[in-house]
Amino acid sequence: MDLLHITSLRRGADGSATGAHPANMDESKASPYTNLPDPLILNNGKKVKTAKVWWKKRRPEIVEFFDREIYGRVPANTPKVNWEVVSATREMNGDVPVITKKLVGHVDNSAYPLITVDIQLTLSTPADATGPVPSSGQGLGLRDFDSYERAGRQRRRFDAGHHRPLQ
């Protein structure tokens, strides 16, 4: 905190609705973005009247907006990541059989070789999937994988949540 010159933090919400600093439970106060743009109005103000106009004009406008304002631009010189499957296990997620893989992404950090950057990720997919499936990963450097350690691949890994080396 001293390095960032932060001397105090704003108090968070209480867990109780009757506390001194209650959490907001009123949906009308939940978002300052109540005036979202109409998805069927082009940026130039014209209405989308056909599927062709949607696919050729409006959808690309929305994708561009998300790329610019929500996801952010990918830098032109993003380093390559080589993914390695450390382990794969069959297990159940509720009543669904899944294959859970522990992956390590080795980032090409040749631009600054004094540190090694590895991304640790846990990925589960349905065991009976025959093609691509929606997925989300967990971890992103927040866990140590025993099998990764046992393999003798001791590297300086960074905790993505706190930007500090993991011990």
Side-chain angles (χ1 to χ4, degrees):
M1 301 282 279
D2 291 337
L3 291 174
L4 298 173
H5 305 288
I6 296 173
T7 57
S8 65
L9 296 175
R10 179 178 56 87
R11 180 181 169 82
D14 292 335
S16 169
T18 60
H21 303 280
N24 176 32
M25 298 297 179
D26 182 354
E27 288 189 29
S28 69
K29 298 178 185 176
S31 174
Y33 307 106
T34 56
N35 189 16
L36 294 173
D38 186 333
L40 296 178
I41 302 287
L42 295 167
N43 288 345
N44 65 11
K46 294 182 180 179
K47 289 187 176 190
V48 174
K49 295 182 180 181
T50 66
K52 182 178 180 182
V53 171
W54 167 259
W55 286 104
K56 296 285 186 183
K57 294 186 179 179
R58 184 58 179 155
R59 185 178 182 283
E61 288 177 350
I62 294 171
V63 169
E64 163 60 22
F65 171 80
F66 266 76
D67 283 348
R68 185 182 66 244
E69 304 295 334
I70 307 298
Y71 299 130
R73 303 277 188 215
V74 176
N77 59 351
T78 302
K80 183 178 180 185
V81 178
N82 292 313
W83 290 97
E84 171 188 1
V85 178
V86 175
S87 69
T89 57
R90 290 186 165 272
E91 54 191 33
M92 298 294 285
N93 185 348
D95 60 351
V96 177
V98 297
I99 297 173
T100 298
K101 295 178 182 176
K102 290 185 179 181
L103 307 162
V104 176
H106 306 289
V107 178
D108 173 10
N109 204 33
S110 55
Y112 191 75
L114 294 178
I115 63 171
T116 299
V117 180
D118 288 334
I119 304 166
Q120 299 177 357
L121 178 70
T122 301
L123 179 68
S124 294
T125 55
D128 59 353
T130 58
V133 295
S135 64
S136 67
Q138 296 177 348
L140 295 179
L142 302 177
R143 308 171 85 176
D144 285 327
F145 295 135
D146 292 339
S147 58
Y148 190 68
E149 299 277 336
R150 283 193 306 269
R153 296 181 178 99
Q154 292 283 352
R155 296 187 173 173
R156 189 170 176 95
R157 293 180 312 280
F158 285 84
D159 180 334
H162 301 288
H163 306 290
R164 60 183 167 77
L166 289 171
Q167 301 301 323

